[in-house]
Amino acid sequence: MNKKGLFLFPSIIAVCLSACASRIYEPKDYVLKMLYRDDFRILQLTDTHVGDKDNMKLHYDFMDLTINDAHPDLIVITGDVFTFASKGTAKEFFNWLESHNIPWTLTWGNHDEQCFFSIDWLTGYLNGLNAKREKDGSSYCYFKDLQDDRIQGNSNFIIDLIKPDNTIFEQLVIMDSNRYNYKGYFGYDYFHQDQIDWYNTAVDSAIPSLMFYHIPLPEVRDAWAASKEDPSLILNPVGEGQQNEEPCNPEYNSGFYEVIKNKGSTHGMYFGHDHINNYIINYKGIHFGYGIKATDRVYADGSMLGGRVIKIAPDHSLSYEDFYHTYAEVK
């Protein structure tokens, strides 16, 4: 074998091993099931950004104010859960979530890889908690990452809300909006085509659904512009929603919004990422909702901290309750 062949051979092996390591799963393999109750209450927390150098008890006490107000049936954290956290801090955070005896789930943001562990370790740990819940009910974690699949991201799965007659009332679509893009431009990443194809296949167009992810779609700018023309599109329960910073959406538009709109299933989309925006806008029949930042970490407006309840009525209509607190209440 010549020297050129010697150099190519390891690369060929690596490609083959990579291909063998990934699998194609059925849509049903990404689905978890949860019992639905009337007026189902989802508490969205976002951008906690907890890390090793934080006063974690202070953050827990602060977020407990919102959780106690909200009386949720499910807690969803929409990314940037950790920044510069170790495995010990992550486990402590999950233990804190478990201590409420309330079902919870989460997706990842662009900062969750900036820690002293890998995303694979993180998702593997949560897969283990979910396995405990399914085996004997010893966890409240609803999370699924098929780590050897061919879909971009580390948190693409669905929670089916099941009625007493065993039919699906609503689907909660949890997706990973990824982290940073290095191809063509450096900036925030976007939903890749394999994720869009997965959504189109896994989500049932006949069943209403809500989506939770971290980085807003580029259409969030169009939604805000539409609300300036027609303020009635803003759905915040108290006063007007605020845009206090320019949305940091991906530069590249992968066309996902058009796919979602054409699918006709998803009627609410909830995200975080931009810490001092908090509006909900009815944009072309889909609710676009910035979550309320859950802690004061990284940067924040101290008067805009807390969380939001998304309430799903039996007729699938959506209503909202915003909860705001200040750290002065727990210091």
Side-chain angles (χ1 to χ4, degrees), residues 181-200:
N181 180 69
Y182 303 97
K183 296 179 180 178
Y185 72 92
F186 172 73
Y188 296 112
D189 211 346
Y190 50 86
F191 290 104
H192 291 223
Q193 188 60 49
D194 53 10
Q195 293 178 284
I196 297 171
D197 294 341
W198 173 82
Y199 170 91
N200 230 350

Side-chain angles (χ1 to χ4, degrees), residues 179-321:
R179 278 150 278 288
Y180 295 97
N181 180 69
Y182 303 97
K183 296 179 180 178
Y185 72 92
F186 172 73
Y188 296 112
D189 211 346
Y190 50 86
F191 290 104
H192 291 223
Q193 188 60 49
D194 53 10
Q195 293 178 284
I196 297 171
D197 294 341
W198 173 82
Y199 170 91
N200 230 350
T201 302
V203 173
D204 191 328
S205 59
I207 299 171
S209 62
L210 303 179
M211 283 184 66
F212 297 87
Y213 53 93
H214 182 68
I215 301 173
L217 297 177
E219 284 77 9
V220 72
R221 293 174 179 268
D222 300 329
W224 180 251
S227 76
K228 296 295 96 182
E229 295 291 326
D230 181 2
S232 69
L233 297 177
I234 295 180
L235 304 175
N236 291 64
V238 179
E240 293 185 357
Q242 299 180 55
Q243 177 166 289
N244 295 314
E245 62 179 310
E246 283 294 309
C248 292
N249 52 269
E251 181 180 322
Y252 175 70
N253 191 330
S254 60
F256 193 18
Y257 174 73
E258 289 301 317
V259 172
I260 293 165
K261 187 160 66 71
N262 292 336
K263 184 85 170 176
S265 165
T266 298
H267 59 128
M269 307 169 72
Y270 307 98
F271 40 86
H273 189 52
D274 300 318
H275 298 181
I276 51 179
N277 294 336
N278 73 338
Y279 54 79
I280 317 162
I281 294 174
N282 184 351
Y283 181 60
K284 298 183 179 181
I286 299 175
H287 292 191
F288 272 30
Y290 269 111
I292 299 168
K293 193 174 185 321
T295 71
D296 65 355
R297 283 278 288 123
V298 182
Y299 74 94
D301 179 335
S303 65
M304 288 175 56
L305 300 174
R308 172 176 294 132
V309 164
I310 303 151
K311 186 167 71 173
I312 315 173
D315 64 356
H316 298 282
S317 62
L318 303 172
S319 59
Y320 303 97
E321 297 174 29

Side-chain angles (χ1 to χ4, degrees), residues 30 32 34 42 74-79 104-108 142-145 151-160 171-177 191 195 198-199 202-203 209-214 256 266 268 270:
Y30 292 88
L32 303 172
M34 177 184 295
I42 301 171
L74 172 67
I75 298 170
V76 180
I77 305 178
T78 49
W104 59 273
T105 190
L106 51 78
T107 186
W108 308 120
Y142 284 75
F143 182 88
K144 194 162 195 176
D145 177 34
I151 311 300
Q152 178 77 21
N154 303 90
S155 52
N156 303 300
F157 60 97
I158 292 172
I159 300 173
D160 282 346
Q171 293 189 303
L172 307 181
V173 185
I174 314 297
M175 292 191 71
D176 189 345
S177 57
F191 290 104
Q195 293 178 284
W198 173 82
Y199 170 91
V203 173
S209 62
L210 303 179
M211 283 184 66
F212 297 87
Y213 53 93
H214 182 68
F256 193 18
T266 298
Y270 307 98

